[in-house]
Amino acid sequence: MILNPDEIQAIRQEAGHFPHPSAAAIEALNIAQQGHGWISDELLKEIADVLGMSPAELDSVATFYNLIYRRPVGKRVIHYCNSVSCWMLGAEDNRRHLSEKLGIGLGETTGDGEYTLLPIVCLGACDKAPVLMIGDETHFNVDPAKLDAILGDTGAP
Amino acid sequence: MDKPLTRNIKPDGSAASLAEYRAGGGYEGLKKVLAEFAPLEVQRQVKDSGLRGRGGAGFPTGMKWSFVPMGEDAPKTKYLVVNGDEMEPGAFKDRLLLEGDPHQLIEGVAIASYAIQANIAYVFLRGEYRLAADRLRRAIAEAEEHQLLGENILGSGFNLDLRLHTSAGRYICGEETALLNSLEGKRANPRAKPPFPQVSGLFGKPTIVNNVETLCNLPHILRNGVEWYKGLSRTGEPGTKIYGVSGRVERPGAWELPMGTTAREIIEEHAGGMRDGYRLKGYLPGGASTDFLLPEHLDIPMDYGSIAKAGSRLGTGTLILLDDRTCPVRMVLNLEQFFAQESCGWCTPCRDGLPWTVSLLEGLIAGRGRPEDLETLERLCGLLGPGNTFCALAPGAMEPLQSALKHFRADFERYLQPHSISGGVHA
């Protein structure tokens, strides 16, 4: 069993807010992902079991959403916005800089397991473009110099 | 100039507390509604106010509500769902309201729920809005403590349970019926209509889905009256609107202004005009899924009817500017890549047509274009247009493309000339 009792209880509590437990699928995946970093096949089966869903049914949800990870990711995921306003104002320069600094391409994780680099669609801060999200925190008006300040030496190859 | 929606938004970006919200008249609208108006009277006032949905489609709010079964024979369970899944590139107005004044949204939700007699409401919030989620969660707890939510609100006998659902990121979740599927824990594919959600929505019960900005208008309309609301506008379409600007301007941002303010005023006065060295070449008036307009359209009032007459849509009212040093073809490619990626894949024209569109544009930009590719792109605009797809995602995706092909044809044709690849920026 990978899910711990606290996680199972939290998932059951969320499921209690809906007429059908399966409606808490995303909440459950988020709870599990918070503790385990990503949703492995085994974890997915256990969550499906708690919610009374088939693993295939839950997998159809888990693979649909951008913020649910079905493959291992680093401790912190860098989501850089590649949508139109950010693209116009330097998102690609930032992505190149991140790739060089961290030594990883899109979808890859640094060797020390610290960072994963992924694109994301519009983060809803187009007035402060370019924007990116590292873990839970959103950073605005980002340029390579600002990225160096945010990341420091951490994760450098 | 009265700015009811943003009057509590603080420059430092912190959220208005319950006390601050109340000091400005907050929850007075709800109090009045519960004490003085029957649910159908609230519906009537909102209909009379002329409020149109601010999520992008602009459907009249009161009319939408009127399709919900009411009275003793109506189903006991009904739902109100807040569409807070702001993911359209260029749109960032709801974030301002969610983060800056969460109680205003809660009051709007309570009024709308009372109007349709829903006792359960969900805020469907995009997963990336972490700060908004924290603030909303706190505000909901505060409202419950003060009997503004929960059992017997303000002693009226009306009950409302409000829950926050944070989604996990997918543009299609902003589509009304896909949002309902997502909230039910399914893949967010759109549903066939009819039945419409107002009759059979979330868990098969009557459901209203309203956008954040739409709901934030309600406390003010009900508190100050329909005539006051109509007086806020500069045109026949009532109220204010949160307009936004992104792109190469001096001061990108979002401002609450009278409905019908011109794009020129928004860009030149509020956004400080174009940055030095850049000229305006065109603009998407209401987010990524709207048709390009040109500098010659700048003096047209930014309201639903006027923008439609000019050949585009008001959409979310958030302008994305194309400057003269950005290649329109590459800009359109970026937009089509977004739509292709975010297509849910439910219907064939969208699933196959959008990647085809992307590949044609990529080929063109890479110097592999053939003259007939432009005709194919034009044909795709029709094939993926209104009526040919399950929902509005693909037709929305075609709006910037079809208008770019019309207005910026020379830029597309330039890629067909040998030795013309310019790295995305025209000299």
Side-chain angles (χ1 to χ4, degrees):
Chain A
M1 196 76 178
I2 305 177
L3 281 173
N4 67 45
D6 286 349
E7 288 166 337
I8 294 172
Q9 197 194 337
I11 291 171
R12 288 202 173 123
Q13 195 179 336
E14 285 296 333
H17 293 153
F18 298 97
H20 308 294
S22 60
I26 291 170
E27 278 88 352
L29 290 164
N30 275 328
I31 288 166
Q33 188 165 276
Q34 222 161 16
H36 302 267
W38 66 290
I39 305 294
S40 63
D41 287 349
E42 203 177 341
L43 198 50
L44 183 103
K45 280 180 201 149
E46 289 182 16
I47 301 164
D49 197 36
V50 176
L51 295 176
M53 300 168 81
S54 73
E57 208 182 343
L58 186 61
D59 198 29
S60 76
V61 176
T63 53
F64 190 79
Y65 296 92
N66 298 328
L67 298 177
I68 304 294
Y69 312 126
R70 284 289 276 119
R71 284 163 60 184
V73 290
K75 281 187 202 139
R76 286 192 282 175
V77 179
I78 304 177
H79 283 288
Y80 88 100
C81 172
N82 63 0
S83 294
V84 66
S85 302
C86 287
W87 167 80
M88 264 195 288
L89 294 165
E92 191 51 29
D93 291 343
N94 287 335
R95 189 204 58 77
R96 250 194 310 269
H97 187 74
L98 279 167
S99 282
E100 279 166 21
K101 188 179 172 66
L102 301 175
I104 52 172
L106 282 179
E108 294 175 357
T109 301
T110 51
D112 61 0
E114 195 63 31
Y115 294 107
T116 298
L117 181 59
L118 292 173
I120 190 95
V121 295
C122 187
L123 285 168
C126 316
D127 54 334
K128 300 183 187 92
V131 182
L132 53 79
M133 216 168 76
I134 304 179
D136 278 349
E137 206 176 336
T138 307
H139 299 269
F140 307 110
N141 298 119
V142 178
D143 58 21
K146 202 166 175 185
L147 277 175
D148 286 342
I150 295 166
L151 297 176
D153 291 334
T154 322
Chain B
M1 186 167 48
D2 207 347
K3 297 180 180 180
L5 301 180
T6 54
R7 64 164 67 130
N8 295 319
I9 307 275
K10 293 185 272 191
D12 69 356
S14 61
S17 66
L18 176 58
E20 286 167 326
Y21 183 61
R22 277 188 141 162
Y27 288 108
E28 289 300 318
L30 176 64
K31 204 167 158 186
K32 187 172 172 185
V33 162
L34 295 177
E36 296 176 23
F37 304 138
L40 287 175
E41 172 60 16
V42 181
Q43 290 195 20
R44 191 190 60 78
Q45 289 199 31
V46 171
K47 207 178 215 173
D48 290 351
S49 77
L51 173 66
R52 292 173 67 162
R54 303 294 199 234
F59 194 81
T61 305
M63 190 187 291
K64 191 181 207 179
W65 290 0
S66 72
F67 302 134
V68 173
M70 297 292 286
E72 282 182 9
D73 296 336
K76 290 274 177 287
T77 306
K78 297 185 213 174
Y79 296 104
L80 188 283
V81 178
V82 181
N83 188 343
D85 197 63
E86 184 173 57
M87 286 181 80
E88 171 125 330
F92 50 97
K93 66 186 181 62
D94 293 340
R95 180 184 202 130
L96 182 78
L97 297 168
L98 287 157
E99 290 180 359
D101 201 2
H103 278 288
Q104 179 174 238
L105 176 65
I106 294 171
E107 186 180 2
V109 170
I111 291 170
S113 300
Y114 175 77
I116 61 160
Q117 290 291 285
N119 296 118
I120 304 173
Y122 293 96
V123 180
F124 188 101
L125 186 66
R126 66 173 298 186
E128 294 86 348
Y129 278 11
R130 309 273 158 95
L131 184 62
D134 288 345
R135 290 182 176 178
L136 203 52
R137 211 169 275 126
R138 208 170 306 144
I140 290 171
E142 233 179 345
E144 282 169 350
E145 266 171 47
H146 289 80
Q147 226 200 347
L148 298 159
L149 285 174
E151 299 277 311
N152 191 21
I153 296 174
L154 297 169
S156 65
F158 177 63
N159 307 326
L160 179 64
D161 188 10
L162 176 59
R163 296 200 178 279
L164 174 63
H165 166 87
T166 51
S167 184
R170 202 66 201 256
Y171 172 67
I172 190 65
C173 292
E175 199 276 341
E176 190 174 56
T177 58
L179 183 151
L180 297 176
N181 273 339
S182 184
L183 203 46
E184 289 183 5
K186 299 170 183 158
R187 278 176 92 93
N189 299 126
R191 297 176 180 177
K193 292 189 274 195
F196 288 90
Q198 293 93 323
V199 179
S200 177
L202 189 64
F203 305 113
K205 305 293 182 194
T207 304
I208 285 289
V209 182
N210 282 148
N211 164 260
V212 169
E213 186 185 350
T214 312
L215 289 162
C216 287
N217 275 278
L218 298 175
H220 310 289
I221 294 172
L222 274 303
R223 181 167 157 239
N224 299 312
V226 167
E227 291 313 311
W228 167 86
Y229 187 69
K230 286 181 174 167
L232 295 173
S233 165
R234 285 190 195 161
T235 61
E237 295 178 15
T240 59
K241 176 81 195 77
I242 301 180
Y243 296 104
V245 176
S246 63
R248 287 197 170 93
V249 280
E250 290 292 340
R251 292 189 303 272
W255 309 271
E256 183 181 8
L257 298 166
M259 178 67 87
T261 304
T262 64
R264 185 184 301 284
E265 184 186 323
I266 297 165
I267 295 169
E268 291 178 4
E269 287 182 30
H270 303 282
M274 298 301 287
R275 282 190 205 166
D276 270 353
Y278 293 96
R279 277 189 309 111
L280 182 70
K281 185 173 171 118
Y283 59 100
L284 301 169
S289 64
T290 58
D291 289 82
F292 278 99
L293 292 179
L294 300 172
E296 69 199 54
H297 298 115
L298 282 172
D299 293 312
I300 292 168
M302 287 275 290
D303 64 27
Y304 297 96
S306 307
I307 296 294
K309 216 178 283 173
S312 188
R313 290 188 307 114
L314 181 66
T316 55
T318 43
L319 300 100
I320 307 170
L321 307 190
L322 165 68
D323 59 76
D324 60 336
R325 290 168 67 183
T326 298
C327 170
V329 185
R330 286 178 184 251
M331 181 175 172
V332 169
L333 170 62
N334 177 280
L335 294 167
E336 298 310 323
Q337 283 168 331
F338 162 80
F339 288 112
Q341 179 192 306
E342 291 301 309
S343 167
C344 76
W346 186 246
C347 70
T348 310
C350 187
R351 183 183 61 242
D352 289 355
L354 288 172
W356 186 10
T357 306
V358 167
S359 116
L360 285 168
L361 289 167
E362 281 174 344
L364 191 66
I365 288 168
R368 299 191 304 270
R370 299 161 306 164
E372 57 267 35
D373 288 348
L374 301 192
E375 286 156 35
T376 308
L377 285 169
E378 265 168 352
R379 229 176 40 247
L380 281 166
C381 289
L383 292 169
L384 273 68
N388 291 336
T389 58
F390 210 75
C391 80
L393 188 144
M398 292 299 105
E399 291 185 27
L401 174 61
Q402 74 191 3
S403 50
L405 282 163
K406 187 168 87 181
H407 298 314
F408 312 122
R409 188 83 184 186
D411 293 277
F412 285 84
E413 286 170 347
R414 197 168 300 150
Y415 280 108
L416 296 171
Q417 309 299 319
H419 313 300
S420 68
I421 311 305
S422 59
V425 177
H426 294 309

